Amino acid sequence: METSAHLTSIAAGAFYLIASVRLLSLHRRTGERPELLLGIYFGVSGQWYVIYNLPYFLGLEELPPLIESGVEWIFAVGVVPYLLFIRSVFRPGSAWATALLIASSLFLLGGSMAASLGGGFSNSADDPAYLVEWVGYTLPCVWMCGEGAIAHAAAKRRARIGLCDPIVANRYLLFACFGFFQSAASAADLGWAFGNSSANASSALALGLLGGTEIASVAVLWLAFFPPRCFANWIDRRSAIPPTPWGE
Amino acid sequence: MATDLFDLAAERLEAHTDMDRLATRGTLRIALKEAGLDPHNLAVPQLRVVFEKLMPRELEARGVGGAAAVCRTVMDEIAGSAGAIESRPSTSPDDIFKRLGGR
């Protein structure tokens, strides 16, 4: 069970790194900020998944503390571009979105700072630093889920009158699902942390949930970033679009 | 003086129907909501589709005669004077999400 969970995480990390390269090369072509922000986020997520799970296969008990701190800090800082992406795409100029971005960033960086100054990074619910950082990286997942769902509902209506490409409308839904699965993964991570602190039976369930949500996250992102032709055709077939003057 | 496309459309609609300001703005908001559009983040082509496909029905439901002709007139006037009005940004979420998947 544990081996397959680590393998799943490494595979997910590799996929995030591929998605990151794809987004960063898109940014080089377009010079636009959203793909840069998302590319950075997937890049740091990918490195976190790969480096964090590698010691298990190298027969090491855990990462050397210095490397672990470095990886955790890169991840904490790397979630900030994701928050910037959500805010700039869905809520530009919104005061509450800016407040949420700042609050989430403070949780992330505050938790990391507390862990660095205390006994180091842990994955235990007994450690307040872990819980603070957990809030910081769970908030953007829930936020993405909500914004994706709202945008999908409006895009579906636009698609009905030919004002939105159906596959773009579907892409909002895929990002909402990604946010949902990542929120579920965070919940599983918390379950694992409680398992670590009280040695109860919830750890196995949390591990299973973590693996499942990672596979689901990769699946929806694959459809969003690398939509196979058959999937795109299926989405198009489901939407009968009347002609519009959109291209005029 | 209209400051965005929504205001301009509501103003022109009010001028060509018997509806008052509140009713025209409300009707336009209902049509835009049905179209999944943000009233203050509009582009002329989007508004044209709304006035072609949704507004005639909304106006008829409110007893406006010759709704389709009214919509055409309003749209022609908007197209003629929309240049001075601030339009939606070129990087809408739709544009961004289209790029992300390479389509």
Side-chain angles (χ1 to χ4, degrees):
Chain A
M1 180 81 160
E2 206 175 341
T3 304
S4 58
H6 284 290
L7 263 178
T8 305
S9 291
I10 286 191
F15 177 81
Y16 294 147
L17 288 172
I18 292 168
S20 171
V21 170
R22 153 106 174 56
L23 288 164
L24 293 176
S25 62
L26 179 66
H27 165 71
R28 278 187 66 188
R29 284 202 310 274
T30 63
E32 298 287 349
R33 221 165 67 112
E35 37 267 54
L36 173 67
L37 295 172
L38 212 51
I40 293 171
Y41 169 67
F42 282 121
V44 296
S45 293
Q47 65 87 30
W48 188 89
Y49 278 100
V50 172
I51 296 176
Y52 232 86
N53 288 284
L54 221 45
Y56 179 83
F57 296 101
L58 298 176
L60 299 170
E61 274 292 303
E62 53 189 21
L63 282 169
L66 198 64
I67 294 177
E68 186 181 28
S69 288
V71 171
E72 287 285 357
W73 266 104
I74 291 170
F75 178 72
V77 174
V79 175
V80 178
Y82 186 42
L83 286 157
L84 286 167
F85 169 82
I86 301 171
R87 182 193 164 276
S88 65
V89 171
F90 297 105
R91 305 281 163 187
S94 158
W96 71 258
T98 305
L100 187 58
L101 185 154
I102 293 169
S104 192
S105 304
L106 287 176
F107 275 115
L108 274 163
L109 303 177
S112 300
M113 185 64 79
S116 294
L117 296 175
F121 288 87
S122 77
N123 197 15
S124 167
D126 290 337
D127 180 4
Y130 163 80
L131 293 175
V132 170
E133 198 190 356
W134 181 88
V135 172
Y137 65 72
T138 304
L139 273 176
C141 301
V142 177
W143 193 8
M144 181 71 244
C145 178
E147 295 291 4
I150 292 168
H152 171 65
K156 229 170 49 173
R157 292 198 292 270
R158 288 197 300 280
R160 269 204 294 267
I161 55 170
L163 284 176
C164 181
D165 188 337
I167 201 146
V168 172
N170 175 266
R171 204 162 287 151
Y172 289 120
L173 178 64
L174 293 172
F175 267 74
C177 291
F178 173 69
F180 172 79
F181 291 132
Q182 287 295 295
S183 304
S186 272
D189 193 41
L190 191 64
W192 172 253
F194 274 105
N196 277 353
S197 58
S198 59
N200 63 27
S202 68
S203 294
L205 182 68
L207 258 184
L209 191 58
L210 259 176
T213 52
E214 285 310 337
I215 291 168
S217 297
V218 167
V220 293
L221 283 184
W222 173 63
L223 292 174
F225 290 135
F226 311 99
R229 189 179 293 274
C230 58
F231 176 71
N233 290 343
W234 177 67
I235 295 288
D236 279 340
R237 272 199 309 274
R238 289 178 65 210
S239 324
I241 304 172
T244 73
W246 177 246
E248 284 176 14
Chain B
M1 172 78 186
T3 55
D4 63 16
L5 271 177
F6 176 82
D7 288 338
L8 179 63
E11 210 176 83
R12 295 293 81 218
L13 203 53
E14 192 183 342
H16 290 283
T17 61
D18 291 334
M19 294 195 296
D20 62 15
R21 185 170 188 270
L22 205 62
T24 50
R25 291 176 76 86
T27 306
L28 191 51
R29 273 184 198 283
I30 288 169
L32 291 174
K33 190 175 179 191
E34 199 185 329
L37 294 169
D38 175 2
H40 297 292
N41 195 10
L42 286 170
V44 173
Q46 291 175 327
L47 204 57
R48 182 173 293 139
V49 174
V50 171
F51 269 82
E52 269 180 13
K53 297 189 174 176
L54 303 175
M55 276 308 278
R57 197 179 62 216
E58 293 295 335
L59 292 179
E60 277 166 16
R62 285 157 185 80
V64 175
V70 168
C71 288
R72 260 196 309 276
T73 308
V74 167
M75 217 37 242
D76 287 346
E77 289 182 9
I78 289 171
S81 54
I85 298 288
E86 213 176 298
S87 191
R88 69 174 193 148
S90 60
T91 49
S92 71
D94 283 2
D95 297 331
I96 295 163
F97 273 74
K98 192 169 198 163
R99 283 203 306 271
L100 292 183
R103 176 176 166 181

